[in-house]
Amino acid sequence: MNILFINSIGRDKFGGGEKWMVNAARGLTQEGHNVTLASKKDSRILRYAAEHGVNTEVIQIRSDISPLKTLQIAGWLKKHAIDILICNLNKDVRVAGLAARIAGTHVVLARHGMLLCSKKWKHKLTLTKLTDGIITNSRTIREAYANYGWFDPDFVKVIYNGITIPEQVAPIDFSTRFPSKKVIYSAGRLAEQKGFIYLVDAAALLKKKRSDLVWLISGEGKLHEELQQNIDSLGLQNTVFLEGFTPDIFPYLKGCDLFVLASLFEGMPNVVMEAMAMQTPAIATDVNGARELMQDGKTGLIIPPRNPEAIADAVEQLLDNPEKLEQFGKAGYDRVNTEFTMQAMVHNLETHLQEKLREKTARV
């Protein structure tokens, strides 16, 4: 199959959806398909893709409507005989999806790692006219879309994210930086969605009771200054640390005592999967995909979002129970290693793409 992934996220943005796209492109390439990943010039996703052996192309989509860009992409799709186009953002669907219809590309799919459309007419028009299906990563997202009443039952396909567990990871020895401290770790874009403000509030609550904790947050984003101001105003300068962009979080995950996801919404939280792969117990807010990935009370704890008290209670409950920490870590690893492998993800994706292609070409 000749496959094009297109993702017009900002040049400096990179998250779970971008990592999924690179992993999917790489996996399909290794299976013998001709795969290209397209994005903006000098974007982080293109650099990451090239580093991981994925063929890349610069295609810049800046707006929802761009007739010239649509025609340019249509020409590129024809030239490279693309069979399947997989789009990330809604504007990718509107510009490149239309181009694919003009070029006669057999299959156009949207990939939604989280809820990306509401019940607005423009979303209905975009998805029903310019795509042949949606790939998502959790049943809860599929169920939400089913309630819209727009799609056939098999229009939205759930394909769980997968992970390749590194064979060797050297954990960071936090004892040299934080003697006699327990390290709580989190990672993600410094955006409202990730709920880091509630993590900082939880740190403030626990500081009133104990002095043996430090909290590290990897990531960058527009809320950096606001979060730092909040840390300073609460007197947490020596308790909560913003680590900035961390290209490889596995050493952090393996070296910390506990991982916390404080997000307000997600699709399938990749970073929790990565923590589980490092046998690090996790606390996660009850967002899309969390209950499909984790088993509450067995591989970690699931708590309500927007609730610093719940975070603080769960952190204290686990850190004061070393046996449970170890049990959660092992159970989390076992679950990821059997149910959420990269091999399974790529196989399921390849099978789905082949089925969609057969369906469309059979109608021609």
Side-chain angles (χ1 to χ4, degrees):
M1 294 182 290
N2 296 329
I3 305 166
L4 175 66
F5 289 87
I6 190 161
N7 187 335
S8 295
I9 196 166
R11 286 184 176 85
D12 295 323
K13 293 182 178 180
F14 189 89
E18 287 63 56
K19 186 174 288 186
W20 177 89
M21 192 163 273
V22 173
N23 285 337
R26 182 186 185 191
L28 291 168
T29 299
Q30 291 172 341
E31 291 301 313
H33 302 288
N34 182 26
V35 185
T36 300
L37 192 152
S39 188
K40 295 178 178 178
K41 184 179 179 180
D42 298 325
S43 60
R44 184 171 287 173
I45 185 174
L46 286 192
R47 293 197 298 270
Y48 186 82
E51 290 168 0
H52 287 77
V54 175
N55 185 43
T56 63
E57 181 74 20
V58 173
I59 296 178
Q60 303 195 130
I61 296 176
R62 295 187 175 91
S63 61
D64 278 356
I65 300 174
S66 179
L68 179 58
K69 180 60 65 175
T70 293
L71 291 175
Q72 289 174 342
I73 295 173
W76 193 96
L77 294 170
K78 279 187 176 181
K79 178 181 178 180
H80 294 86
I82 296 299
D83 301 304
I84 297 174
L85 171 67
I86 301 175
C87 301
N88 182 51
L89 302 178
N90 288 322
K91 65 180 178 181
D92 297 333
V93 173
R94 291 175 187 137
V95 175
L98 179 58
R101 295 306 193 212
I102 295 171
T105 301
H106 295 301
V107 178
V108 180
L109 299 172
R111 200 274 171 167
H112 288 188
M114 60 182 66
L115 283 168
L116 288 181
C117 71
S118 64
K119 289 188 176 182
K120 294 180 179 178
W121 68 267
K122 66 177 182 178
H123 291 147
K124 179 179 180 180
L125 184 65
T126 295
L127 292 169
T128 58
K129 300 300 182 182
L130 297 181
T131 77
D132 303 295
I134 296 170
I135 298 170
T136 189
N137 52 18
S138 80
R139 293 192 305 270
T140 53
I141 293 177
R142 182 181 63 188
E143 290 164 2
Y145 284 163
N147 290 331
Y148 289 10
W150 299 347
F151 311 120
D152 293 334
D154 60 350
F155 193 84
V156 181
K157 176 70 172 179
V158 176
I159 298 176
Y160 285 132
N161 294 358
I163 187 172
T164 298
I165 301 176
E167 293 183 5
Q168 293 184 336
V169 175
I172 294 177
D173 182 5
F174 288 112
S175 65
T176 57
R177 182 179 171 189
F178 304 111
S180 304
K181 301 285 188 179
K182 294 180 179 179
V183 177
I184 302 149
Y185 182 60
S186 192
R189 287 180 297 106
L190 303 186
E192 185 178 356
Q193 172 205 344
K194 300 299 181 179
F196 289 127
I197 190 71
Y198 302 100
L199 200 71
V200 173
D201 288 344
L205 290 173
L206 285 177
K207 190 180 180 184
K208 297 174 182 178
K209 302 171 62 177
R210 52 197 299 169
S211 60
D212 63 332
L213 306 180
V214 292
W215 306 63
L216 307 183
I217 300 172
S218 285
E220 58 186 10
K222 61 183 180 181
L223 291 188
H224 182 279
E225 184 175 346
E226 181 180 332
L227 281 171
Q228 189 60 60
Q229 289 175 351
N230 194 48
I231 291 166
D232 295 342
S233 68
L234 293 171
L236 300 174
Q237 297 92 332
N238 296 317
T239 303
V240 181
F241 300 87
L242 301 180
E243 300 290 284
F245 175 68
T246 306
D248 182 8
I249 66 172
F250 282 118
Y252 275 79
L253 290 168
K254 195 167 184 179
C256 72
D257 295 283
L258 182 62
F259 178 83
V260 179
L261 179 87
S263 293
L264 311 185
F265 60 92
E266 290 282 350
M268 177 63 68
N270 282 344
V271 68
V272 174
M273 191 181 298
E274 291 167 340
M276 293 165 70
M278 292 294 100
Q279 298 192 40
T280 299
I283 297 167
T285 45
D286 199 356
V287 292
N288 286 334
R291 292 188 181 274
E292 296 167 61
L293 171 62
M294 299 173 64
Q295 294 173 308
D296 189 24
K298 184 176 180 181
T299 64
L301 296 178
I302 297 177
I303 60 174
R306 304 177 188 270
N307 193 326
E309 292 80 7
I311 296 174
D313 290 345
V315 165
E316 197 161 34
Q317 177 185 336
L318 288 185
L319 288 182
D320 290 341
N321 192 333
E323 290 185 3
K324 184 169 285 189
L325 277 176
E326 184 176 1
Q327 290 171 3
F328 282 3
K330 289 180 178 178
Y333 173 84
D334 289 342
R335 180 161 175 77
V336 167
N337 194 40
T338 55
E339 302 293 333
F340 294 90
T341 65
M342 187 63 65
Q343 182 180 7
M345 185 196 86
V346 172
H347 171 74
N348 292 335
L349 177 61
E350 180 185 38
T351 300
H352 180 60
L353 297 183
Q354 290 170 335
E355 289 174 351
K356 297 297 288 189
L357 188 57
R358 280 195 296 269
E359 289 174 7
K360 290 301 294 290
T361 53
R363 299 174 192 166
V364 177

